[in-house]
Structures are given as structure tokens and as C-alpha cells.
Amino acid sequence: MVMVSDARVPASLPVILKDYTKAAIRTQPRDLLIWSAAYFRALTEDKVLPVKERLEFPIPESDNGVSPGILRVLHRQLSGEGSVSWEQLQEVCVAMGVAEETAQDAWQRAGGGDGGTVDWEHILSHLATLSTHSTLEALQLVMAAVTEDPVGRRVENSTLINHYNRIHTHTNITPTDQYTEVVNYLHDIANYQEGYLMPSDLTRPSCPVIH
């Protein structure tokens, strides 16, 4: 007769599974299996988990898989790296259900090629552009991804201007007069707000139209 020894469940396992379940519900991954593998790999390697901070409801509809919550996850995972490789970008995008075509397009727009690394902030600018219908929406998406202020969603003026510059100059060889007018306006607003800007500043009646 085969004797089976008593199986012992690690004391931490129930907590791990509970946290995993909450994370899956909050994140609503497109592919649960792929996301789960990425979740436990990050947990094992003590890296930032591919988990949204809160449930997006209703879940934003997006052809390329990018939503404010997902872009924020990518930013939390990759911003600490500074420059990232294509393999790093691809890994986190696959886990979060971002279309590979979109990731490749953003990578190339940011100056990526075969091998090497690219500044994550440059990739972020183009991911936001590829996931929205206007420069204004792209900047608002960037602000939601990078802010450390969950209430006012403030970001430093220099951070927003840098993203605006990358988005604008991708389609304009030189900055337009309209771009310069917007930048000057945002600088003026930020001077009264301790160097910060909020999404609502971009839609003030007095704000020049952002192209």
C-alpha cells in the first residue's frame, strides 16, 4: 500500500491567493492566464505587480488595449528603469493586454530599433498618442498615468511640457506658433500653482486650443 504523507499548506498561501484574486478583479486582464503568469513572476522577483490601483468601471473600450489604468500600470513598472529594451516593453504590454502593434509603433516612434534601449518617458508619450484621438486627450492620459496626486492629478509643469513637445514635434518639424502660445500659457498657470498643472488647466476657456 502506498503511503501518502500529509500535505502542508504554507501559512502565507491563503493570503497570497486572496491578494491575487483581488488583484485580478481590480485589473480585469484580457488574458487571465498570461496576466497571472506575469503577476506571480513579479511577486517572486519582488517587482512592481501588474495590477491596477482601482477597478475601471465601466471598463474603457479600446481597440489597442490601452486605458488610463493600464497605462498607469505600465508607467509604475517601467518608469524606475529609465531606459527600457524592446523585450521589457513587450513583456509588460503582453501581460496587460496591449496590442503588440501599438507597442511596436510607440517603440519605433520613440526612436527604438533592433536592440538598444529607449527612454520610457518617450515611449509613454507615443503610447498616449496612439490611444487617443487628439493631443489634448493624449496629454490628459499622460497626466493620469504619471500623477502622484490621486485627487487633483497634478503633475509638474516641466513633465507635461516635455510630453507635449514630443507629441507635437512628431508631426511638426518645428514648433508652431500655436504650440508656443500654449506652452507660454501653461508656464503662466503653473507659476501660480507652485509649478504644477492639473488636467482642468488644459480645458480652461482661456487656454489656447491644444493641437
Side-chain angles (χ1 to χ4, degrees):
M1 182 175 64
V2 178
M3 300 295 294
V4 179
S5 60
D6 293 335
R8 294 189 178 183
V9 177
S12 59
L13 183 58
V15 175
I16 292 174
L17 293 179
K18 183 178 180 180
D19 289 343
Y20 160 76
T21 301
K22 288 181 178 179
I25 293 173
R26 191 161 66 246
T27 304
Q28 297 288 301
R30 287 194 170 190
D31 190 312
L32 181 60
L33 184 60
I34 293 176
W35 175 84
S36 297
Y39 176 91
F40 285 110
R41 183 165 55 251
L43 188 66
T44 301
E45 297 174 355
D46 196 26
K47 293 183 178 180
V48 177
L49 299 176
V51 179
K52 292 181 184 178
E53 295 171 323
R54 60 186 62 84
L55 176 66
E56 293 184 283
F57 185 82
I59 299 175
E61 295 183 3
S62 172
D63 292 335
N64 62 12
V66 176
S67 71
I70 286 176
L71 195 60
R72 186 162 175 79
V73 170
L74 299 185
H75 180 67
R76 285 174 30 234
Q77 289 184 299
L78 296 175
S79 59
E81 301 291 336
S83 293
V84 301
S85 66
W86 164 247
E87 289 74 21
Q88 288 175 297
L89 177 64
Q90 184 182 38
E91 181 180 349
V92 297
C93 285
V94 168
M96 295 305 299
V98 176
E100 184 168 354
E101 181 180 353
T102 299
Q104 288 179 332
D105 200 350
W107 169 260
Q108 292 170 356
R109 288 187 180 202
D114 296 331
T117 60
V118 175
D119 191 308
W120 160 246
E121 294 290 335
H122 290 221
I123 300 171
L124 174 60
S125 297
H126 297 297
L127 275 175
T129 301
L130 292 166
S131 306
T132 53
H133 299 95
S134 68
T135 298
L136 173 60
E137 290 180 359
L139 292 176
Q140 291 173 327
L141 184 56
V142 166
M143 295 178 84
V146 306
T147 184
E148 297 298 331
D149 175 15
V151 179
R153 294 189 175 184
R154 302 185 308 163
V155 300
E156 291 185 1
N157 177 47
S158 58
T159 297
L160 186 66
I161 296 301
N162 286 338
H163 283 285
Y164 183 27
N165 178 263
R166 284 189 287 269
I167 293 171
H168 181 79
T169 55
H170 179 71
T171 55
N172 297 272
I173 298 176
T174 58
T176 64
D177 291 341
Q178 184 74 6
Y179 167 83
T180 302
E181 186 178 353
V182 171
V183 169
N184 290 337
Y185 174 84
L186 294 179
H187 278 313
D188 289 340
I189 294 296
N191 285 336
Y192 291 99
Q193 298 177 162
E194 301 180 337
Y196 286 88
L197 293 167
M198 295 181 288
S200 58
D201 293 326
L202 306 183
T203 56
R204 289 176 181 238
S206 55
C207 182
V209 177
I210 297 177
H211 293 301

